[in-house]
Every structure is written in C-alpha cells, then in structure tokens.
Amino acid sequence: MTPFAADLLVLFRRDLRCFIREVELFPDDATLWKTLPGISNSAGNLALHVAGNLRHFVGGVLGGTGYQRNREQEFGQREGTRMAVSAALEAASVDIQAGLEKLTPESQAAPFPVSVGGRRPATGRLLLHIAAHTAFHLGQAGYLRRALTGSATSASPMDLRDLDDRL
C-alpha cells in the first residue's frame, strides 16, 4: 500500500469509527431518522450515504468488490436500527481497504476510472474529496443529534490520537 493510501485508510477508518459512535449516541432507533425544519437528511440517511459512497467509489470502483450502490435508498430510507446502520459503516471500513490496496502512484495520478458528476478528476484528488465529504457528513450528523436530543456529548470525531499508525 502506498503511503498516501495508508494515510487515507487511517483517516477513513477514524471517521467511520466516529460515525458509528455518533450513531450509537442516538437515544433510540427512531431518533436516528428524525430531522428538524430546514434539514432534509436524517443522521441515518447521512450514515447510509457515507457508507454507500465509500463502498461504491473506493471499494467497488477501485477495489473491485462488486458492491452495487443504491443511492436512492441511502436518502429514501426512513427507519431502521442503529445496529444496521453501524453495520453498513463497518462494511464500508472493510471495503475501502480493497480499493486503497490497489492504489499505485500511477493510478493515483491518473483520472478516476469512472465519471463522477460528469468529471474525472485525478484519483488521488477525488479520494481527498471523498475524505472531506465523509468528515462533512459526520459533522452534520453530530450537530443534528445534539439539536434533536439536547445532549452535548461528543463522539470525539477529530481526536488526534486516532491518527497513529494502527490500522
């Protein structure tokens, strides 16, 4: 695995562990699917979207895992258990390794193998975008949980201790 891919794996796995902690901090399954006025996506939808995005682009496209994405379900689902959502995030953590293990300096610099939003940016740059996208939705889920529950408990999503070399 290239050093860049290894660093991305640490970041992705950190954020997925934090997202699982965030999901587990919801007081019950029903609250995971609630929103507030002006908010269109529940934390459950955000978590499913992150899992689907990572499993598709990193695991499926780069790693050849065969994962078939259902983006409509990621945003359309309105109920489910915290355990099932956490399992989807865990599956993403496994799938991303397949894609990152195949990354080479040449493939990192090459255009992404498939079009994303009508574009094919360099694979390394798209992977950085996906990492930022993951962290963005993790933050949204945390703020939504706090607003829905009134709890200030943190899932500690940016703990620097999680940046050590353990995978």
Side-chain angles (χ1 to χ4, degrees):
M1 184 177 295
T2 67
F4 176 72
D7 286 344
L8 281 173
L9 186 58
V10 168
L11 289 173
F12 282 136
R13 286 194 169 159
R14 176 199 65 185
D15 289 351
L16 288 167
R17 280 191 309 269
C18 290
F19 223 131
I20 290 167
R21 284 196 302 266
E22 195 63 63
V23 166
E24 291 169 349
L25 284 170
F26 276 80
D28 52 56
D29 295 337
T31 308
L32 182 65
W33 302 98
K34 290 184 178 179
T35 61
L36 293 168
I39 308 294
S40 56
N41 295 311
S42 70
N45 294 122
L46 293 170
L48 292 177
H49 172 59
V50 162
N53 192 55
L54 288 168
R55 293 187 78 191
H56 173 72
F57 289 114
V58 184
V61 174
L62 295 180
T65 63
Y67 176 76
Q68 296 296 312
R69 187 175 191 188
N70 185 343
R71 195 170 191 278
E72 290 83 27
Q73 181 185 2
E74 294 167 16
F75 291 106
Q77 188 168 329
R78 296 291 177 247
E79 62 182 15
T81 66
R82 289 167 291 165
M83 187 176 354
V85 172
S86 292
L89 293 165
E90 285 283 351
S93 187
V94 171
D95 282 1
I96 59 174
Q97 186 163 345
L100 293 174
E101 283 178 344
K102 291 187 177 180
L103 198 63
T104 65
E106 294 77 26
S107 64
Q108 180 182 321
F112 195 70
V114 299
S115 176
V116 181
R119 304 201 181 281
R120 290 187 60 211
T123 298
R125 186 169 294 153
L126 182 65
L127 288 169
L128 289 172
H129 168 80
I130 293 170
H133 173 263
T134 299
F136 175 72
H137 287 319
L138 171 57
Q140 287 179 308
Y143 267 80
L144 181 55
R145 177 188 53 79
R146 291 172 185 196
L148 286 167
T149 66
S151 172
T153 302
S154 174
S156 301
M158 296 304 223
D159 193 331
L160 292 176
R161 291 174 291 189
D162 288 333
L163 294 181
D164 64 18
D165 289 333
R166 67 185 158 83
L167 298 176

